[in-house]
Amino acid sequence: MSFAIGLNSVTDGIVKEYPDLDSVTIFTPPNVALMAMSSSPLLDKFMRFHMVVQRHSFKQLAGLPPGASLSTLVRGKHVDITENSRVSQVMSINGVAITAPDLFVSKNFVVHGIARALNMDELSSMSR
């Protein structure tokens, strides 16, 4: 399952839950990360955990200090900037490197490719 198909499957719920949401940043892992979840109830949480409120280009993320938190679309959960080196242009979110910055950019969202899926351990027992 591709990330785009997973995103499409949760879009209606996101729009209902966040009617005023006008922009997002999406961190997309390799497609392989989704194959095990294609029919899992965790898919919705997985997708939402890889999306943060507001559109952040790579340049904007690079302006944030390590430790800065970004709110995800899982209520009460956030991801953190864990590495930010302007010299080497290495940036990590929750310890996962952004490998394809600004993969797709529009007025309302930006997509960044990441090396692997973000750790979902703490979310597996949560309800939305």
Side-chain angles (χ1 to χ4, degrees):
M1 171 184 282
S2 75
F3 197 84
I5 293 170
L7 182 60
N8 187 53
S9 72
V10 300
T11 301
D12 289 342
I14 290 170
V15 170
K16 286 178 187 171
E17 190 170 338
Y18 295 92
D20 297 327
L21 184 66
D22 61 355
S23 67
V24 295
T25 300
I26 302 168
F27 298 104
T28 180
N31 288 341
V32 123
L34 289 173
M35 293 201 173
M37 287 191 188
S38 61
S39 62
S40 167
L42 285 179
L43 180 62
D44 185 72
K45 289 180 206 156
F46 179 90
M47 299 305 297
R48 289 169 182 254
F49 193 61
H50 286 77
M51 300 171 70
V52 299
V53 176
Q54 271 187 316
R55 180 189 172 283
H56 299 280
S57 68
F58 189 76
K59 184 177 180 178
Q60 291 167 322
L61 289 172
L64 298 173
S69 290
L70 304 170
S71 296
T72 72
L73 295 186
V74 177
R75 291 208 186 271
K77 296 296 176 184
H78 61 274
V79 293
D80 298 321
I81 305 289
T82 50
E83 182 177 359
N84 188 352
S85 172
R86 292 181 185 154
V87 174
S88 64
Q89 292 193 338
V90 172
M91 168 150 311
S92 295
I93 305 293
N94 283 13
V96 178
I98 295 177
T99 55
D102 297 334
L103 194 59
F104 185 84
V105 178
S106 79
K107 179 182 171 190
N108 297 323
F109 66 93
V110 62
V111 177
H112 301 293
I114 56 176
R116 62 176 172 77
L118 299 173
N119 188 343
M120 294 272 301
D121 289 344
E122 68 181 56
L123 296 178
S124 61
S125 62
M126 275 181 57
S127 61
R128 241 195 313 157

